[in-house]
Amino acid sequence: MTTTERPERSVPKPVFTDAEAGAREFPDSSASARRYNYFKPAKRKQTHYEDVTVDVQPDPHHYLTQGWIYGFSNGEGGYPLHWTKLKAWGSDKPEPQRGPGTGGLPVKEWPAHGWHEFRDPNEEWEQTLYRYNANVVRQLTQNVENARNAKAFEQWTPNWVRFVERNVGAWMHIEHILGLYVFAGNERSGPTNMHNTAMAVNSAHKIRFAQDLALYNLTLTEEIEGFDGSAHLNAWNADPEWQGARKVCEALTAVQDDWGEAIFAANAVFEPLIGELFRSNLVMQSAAGNGDFVTPTVMGAGEYDYAQRDLRWTIACFAPLTQDKEFADHNRQLMQGWLSNWVPQALQAARQMQPLWSQPDAKPPRFEDSLDKAKNRFAGICRDLGLDTPEELKQ
Amino acid sequence: MSRQSLAKAHQKIQELAWEPAYHEPYMKYGTDYTFRKAAKKDPLKQVLRSYFPMEEEKDHRVYGAQDGAIRGNMFRQVQERWLEWQKLFLSIIPLPEISAARSMPMLFHVVPNPELHNGQAIQMIDEVRHSTIQQNLKRLYMNNYIDPAGFNNSLRNFQSDYCGTIGRQFAEGFITGDAITAASIYLTIVAETAFTNTLFVAMPAEAAANGDYLLPTVFHSVQSDESRHISNGYATLLMALSDEDNRQLLERDLRYAWWNNHRVVDAAIGTFIEYGTKDRRKDRESYAEMWRRWIYDDYYRSYLVPLEKYGLTIPHDLVEESWKQIWEKGYVHEVAQFFATGWLANYWRIDAMTDEDFEWFEYKYPGWYDKYGKWWENYARLATPNGHNAIVAEDVDYVYPHRCWTCMVPCLVREDMVMAEVDGQWRTYCHEVCRWTDVEAFRPVYQGRETPNMGRLVGHREWETLYHGWNWADVVQDMGFVRDDGKTMTAQPHLDLDPKKMWTLDHMRRMPHLQSPNVLLNEMSDSERDAFHADYIRQGPAGRPAPTDA
């Protein structure tokens, strides 16, 4: 028997380089040099979230010594602070005037201005984003699958079927518009990477929730005889109950050049006065009585997004501005003005939805009680933000 | 979810498309493109119900590999020559990624295709993934690699060092100016479709050959998202092509985007792959060979040329010129030499080339040694401080180059340098196409057509300007490129971490002051400037002074 020699393959050879931490001592070899040192953490120890987020979006007020190098047609580049009327301390301080022979004029103090102080309390970055949302969609899929197997939809009353196909269906449009054209629509505009990433994550929640509702609607079409999967379009386009909410929702996309106002109005006004009013105080309160234990789990996932995550970052973003060491009065007045503008619109839209409370056979709590609950919730948000509850809430 | 149900699901979510009834959305971003006849199709049917678990699974693989690398002591086998360049690369890349996320809403505002907005929104989320996963990789390197300096202050350093702007345009170009030019043509059609091949596929392969298998783990995971982004770009391009009025703009933007990507990406990635590796097997592909495969064949011939039949004017001349720059004019070698010349204005350590490297370069690029060999021998000779200055201030037959005002890579292929007086300032450009970009393309009128949404080139584009007349020690200190003993420099022109062999601020202090080429150019009389230009274009290769007339 002969053996044929296999020709040596051309592959890179492993080499022992001993290039691991601690292999030698030299300037900067110590453990204290093994941390990102270009920002000061919000707390004593810098977090993983801060490490992957802070200062990725640079700022000429800080280290960006040559300034922005590409601009819009008016010459402005980057993330101008005047893209909202809100101000954080240091906002009006001009950028260092750099030029021939000036050096880089790096601003070594951190933060360079108040906007840099914001941290998302949810500490969202890619790992948290995917873990959270993957868990939600997995759980929802299982819930719906279980309901299908258990023939749970057969217990629904005919009126409830109509209610879900029209009204739960109509809500998907609101989530979609907010997700794409308010939160994603503004994530180019925030002054720091922390703001813009929080908006992107908020947007992902909304778009996912809109799709959750759409796909739930598809399942119901397949599972419930006579369930009209296109009825939500008709409700959204024509039902008078929905036109007020639609009008306010669309108005949020039309806020003129102010990311702060759009996000504030969406999460601090629209969500508690219309969103939670509908999701928590109507749908989730009515479903069980009408034989439906599935819809609240779908709605509840979206509700958790808002109540536990999206509202949290919103408070952390806007509340410090009402206590800002330089612009507290300016910001309070501005936000109170926004409340005066948006609260009446939201309340009018909420009242327009009142007939929905009469549609299910098993009635939810009275509309006025539901609205009071939403108003109380909203008043609490105002307190958390350091704002007065607006007079308009009495309407 | 089965394939069939995925198609049904995608069909269903199209019911979410929104036609405003009461308020039109505020259009913050503009374009000079029009989409009057556009067909409206989303080429990639992605729904979040499958997207989130898919990405989570990808994450599991990435982070599992990272744990494995640490447990398996990967850093005992990592080549320092390679990982030092990651201090630059991983400073740059999280910014373009997050800028790509920020550019997506610009497209919502201008592309009238609700179906496509879904894909763009998912791209936005992807880009947040990419930026933070890359910041995290850098953090892992900082924690586990022998020399954390340069990783630990990378986002300060990158924003002030002498070549940061070269990388930064690969981010700011995505988020400013005409929304289609920026977020579609420059980002998705050219950067993502063509140049991520060398960035995210070719370069990680080289990392693996240098003992680092985490870069491929992370970047191949990133690249697996890019195909969806490419589809977004392709769909937008087809929409744009259906309107005749867009063709002039498409031609302009493809020329700008192609050339700028070539200038920027080939400069950086070419240097990392050719000069950052220790793998000198003769049968391993050179950057030129990779470029020919990934960019010329896979992108230009397979993707771009077929679009000609739809009316797209392809910049054939610029593709060929880019190849000529790489193959005949030594573009990558000239850039690597410039990086090494300016090692002291950086924040990573640059290893000298050895005889083994010389042999490989000569094999892959015949004639290389005659052009660059002597200079690299000088670099090695001057690597450790021994009474001499850093190489930039020594006589090694190298003329410090002028910056290109547009791409901010210096004018290294000297014969191609052109000048123009723009907005009252004399500017140098590395090539006629870069002059055209500044003087003609980034303007409010293009070939007689109003282009009010086109962006502008702004900022202090020549780094040297800021430090004109400064002592080098002060320059390095001002940028913060100093280690924790307060005097040893972060950057070094060698890999020896023996403190006695490391350069300090004291060595910098005795050097001649830094001079800004552009400031000096603008102090010249007309005749001096003409003479300067005539001399400059006779310089090179390898930065050699112009030959003296016999």
Side-chain angles (χ1 to χ4, degrees), chain A residues 257-275:
Chain A
D257 203 13
D258 195 323
W259 68 266
E261 181 178 355
I263 302 299
F264 176 91
N267 271 352
V269 181
F270 183 91
E271 280 288 358
L273 290 179
I274 299 179

Side-chain angles (χ1 to χ4, degrees), chain A residues 13-29:
Chain A
K13 303 279 188 299
V15 181
F16 178 72
T17 58
D18 201 14
E20 69 180 348
R24 291 190 72 166
E25 279 188 25
F26 55 89
D28 260 351
S29 63

Side-chain angles (χ1 to χ4, degrees), chain B residues 235-370:
Chain B
T236 310
L237 180 62
L238 291 185
M239 286 175 68
L241 273 169
S242 64
D243 201 325
E244 291 267 348
D245 286 351
N246 293 330
R247 295 195 177 173
Q248 185 186 21
L249 300 180
L250 280 169
E251 182 181 359
R252 176 198 68 185
D253 290 346
L254 260 185
R255 292 185 75 77
Y256 144 65
W258 170 271
W259 187 254
N260 189 267
N261 270 270
H262 151 64
R263 279 333 230 186
V264 172
V265 178
D266 289 336
I269 307 302
T271 299
F272 302 158
I273 287 179
E274 301 296 53
Y275 288 82
T277 188
K278 291 289 280 185
D279 181 14
R280 295 305 184 192
R281 287 171 300 130
K282 298 269 172 58
D283 56 353
R284 89 110 167 131
E285 280 187 331
S286 66
Y287 186 73
E289 289 166 312
M290 292 175 189
W291 197 96
R292 194 75 190 176
R293 178 151 71 103
W294 292 109
I295 302 202
Y296 194 91
D297 289 342
D298 279 12
Y299 175 74
Y300 169 57
R301 293 179 60 201
S302 304
Y303 172 90
L304 212 49
V305 169
L307 286 168
E308 212 158 26
K309 65 175 179 282
Y310 295 110
L312 189 66
T313 306
I314 310 291
H316 299 288
D317 56 327
L318 297 190
V319 176
E320 298 301 337
E321 176 63 13
S322 305
W323 171 244
K324 193 173 172 187
Q325 292 280 321
I326 289 171
W327 185 241
E328 291 178 24
K329 297 192 174 183
Y331 183 64
V332 171
H333 308 302
E334 300 279 342
V335 172
Q337 189 187 14
F338 173 70
F339 274 128
T341 293
W343 67 263
L344 67 176
N346 288 329
Y347 51 94
W348 60 94
R349 296 177 291 140
I350 300 177
D351 194 16
M353 295 297 108
T354 64
D355 287 348
E356 192 188 354
D357 299 315
F358 291 169
E359 194 183 327
W360 185 88
F361 277 118
E362 190 60 30
Y363 179 76
K364 289 291 183 180
Y365 299 96
W368 181 92
Y369 183 82
D370 281 348

Side-chain angles (χ1 to χ4, degrees), chain B residues 388-406:
Chain B
H388 54 76
N389 285 320
I391 192 168
V392 70
E394 290 288 334
D395 181 8
V396 288
D397 256 5
Y398 188 81
V399 181
Y400 192 83
H402 280 241
R403 293 267 174 173
C404 174
W405 192 262
T406 298

Side-chain angles (χ1 to χ4, degrees), chain B residues 355-473:
Chain B
D355 287 348
E356 192 188 354
D357 299 315
F358 291 169
E359 194 183 327
W360 185 88
F361 277 118
E362 190 60 30
Y363 179 76
K364 289 291 183 180
Y365 299 96
W368 181 92
Y369 183 82
D370 281 348
K371 291 176 188 162
Y372 305 102
K374 188 74 188 161
W375 187 90
W376 279 103
E377 284 167 359
N378 278 320
Y379 182 84
R381 177 176 61 81
L382 298 167
T384 50
N386 188 21
H388 54 76
N389 285 320
I391 192 168
V392 70
E394 290 288 334
D395 181 8
V396 288
D397 256 5
Y398 188 81
V399 181
Y400 192 83
H402 280 241
R403 293 267 174 173
C404 174
W405 192 262
T406 298
C407 72
M408 292 169 285
V409 182
C411 310
L412 296 170
V413 178
R414 314 269 166 149
E415 69 196 68
D416 292 338
M417 191 271 270
V418 292
M419 300 193 304
E421 188 178 14
V422 184
D423 303 332
Q425 179 192 31
W426 279 96
R427 298 172 178 177
T428 47
Y429 301 92
C430 68
H431 194 277
E432 164 57 23
V433 185
C434 274
R435 185 207 63 79
W436 167 85
T437 302
D438 180 25
V439 177
E440 298 178 41
F442 274 71
R443 298 285 152 182
V445 175
Y446 178 67
Q447 295 180 344
R449 172 187 183 152
E450 300 280 323
T451 49
N453 287 294
M454 192 58 179
R456 300 285 177 274
L457 305 185
V458 297
H460 302 292
R461 300 179 76 83
E462 194 210 35
W463 172 85
E464 292 83 352
T465 303
L466 301 182
Y467 293 108
H468 183 62
W470 277 48
N471 181 279
W472 269 104

Side-chain angles (χ1 to χ4, degrees), chain A residues 10-12 14-21 23-24 26-28 30 33-38 48 51-52 54-58 63-73 75 77-79 83 98-106 108 125-127 129-131 133-134 137-138 141 172-173 176-177 180-181 184-185 187-189 193 196-197 200 203-204 207-208 210-212 214-218 222 229 232-233 243 246-247 250-251 253-257, chain B residues 8-9 12-13 15-16 18-26 28-29 47-49 51-53 55-56 59 63 73 75-80 94-95 98 101-102 105 108 117-118 121 124-125 129 131-133 135-136 138-139 142-149 151-153 155-156 159-161 165 168-169 172-173 175-177 209 256 260 281 283 408 442 452 454-463 465-468 470 478 483-485 488 496-498:
Chain A
S10 172
V11 288
V15 181
F16 178 72
T17 58
D18 201 14
E20 69 180 348
R24 291 190 72 166
F26 55 89
D28 260 351
S30 67
R34 296 184 187 278
R35 62 174 192 85
Y36 288 150
N37 60 19
Y38 43 83
H48 206 145
D51 276 354
V52 297
V54 177
D55 251 10
V56 174
Q57 180 179 309
Y63 290 135
L64 198 64
T65 55
Q66 290 176 254
W68 299 109
I69 50 177
Y70 275 71
F72 289 99
S73 55
Y79 301 87
W83 282 2
R98 295 153 178 136
T102 61
L105 301 177
K108 288 174 188 158
W125 63 296
E126 68 111 12
Q127 267 204 306
L129 174 73
Y130 290 112
R131 278 182 194 156
N133 285 286
V137 296
R138 256 194 305 270
T141 305
M172 71 171 85
H173 298 282
H176 180 74
I177 292 170
L180 266 179
Y181 304 104
E187 66 92 50
R188 164 73 184 86
S189 304
N193 202 36
N196 288 327
T197 298
S203 155
I207 299 168
R208 190 216 74 231
Q211 294 190 5
D212 290 342
L215 298 180
Y216 181 50
N217 184 283
L218 178 63
E222 292 167 345
H232 66 96
L233 289 167
Q243 299 316 301
R246 177 171 183 163
K247 196 172 175 182
E250 291 189 355
T253 72
V255 171
Q256 296 289 305
D257 203 13
Chain B
K8 257 163 70 181
K12 181 71 185 176
I13 64 171
E15 291 174 9
L16 291 164
W18 170 46
E19 291 291 337
Y22 301 98
H23 296 280
E24 291 291 330
Y26 171 62
K28 186 171 177 64
Y29 308 103
V47 294
L48 291 177
R49 182 175 288 184
Y51 168 78
F52 284 124
E55 295 293 334
E56 188 192 37
D59 266 9
Y63 289 96
N73 300 315
F75 289 89
R76 289 182 190 167
Q77 294 171 42
V78 162
Q79 291 291 350
E80 290 183 56
L95 176 65
I98 209 68
R102 309 302 177 230
F108 302 164
H117 297 171
N118 180 52
M124 173 193 76
I125 305 167
R129 170 175 195 252
S131 179
T132 52
I133 208 171
Q135 270 293 104
N136 184 65
K138 183 167 58 182
R139 185 175 182 266
M142 173 179 71
N143 282 326
N144 295 284
Y145 170 63
I146 190 166
D147 183 12
F151 285 129
N152 55 11
N153 48 3
L155 290 188
R156 172 184 176 174
Q159 295 166 17
S160 57
D161 97 312
T165 51
R168 198 140 52 79
Q169 62 201 299
E172 292 186 36
I175 57 165
T176 50
Y256 144 65
N260 189 267
R281 287 171 300 130
D283 56 353
M408 292 169 285
F442 274 71
M454 192 58 179
R456 300 285 177 274
L457 305 185
V458 297
H460 302 292
R461 300 179 76 83
E462 194 210 35
W463 172 85
T465 303
L466 301 182
Y467 293 108
H468 183 62
W470 277 48
D478 191 60
R483 292 171 184 259
D484 60 9
D485 64 353
T488 305
D496 193 338
L497 288 166
D498 177 352

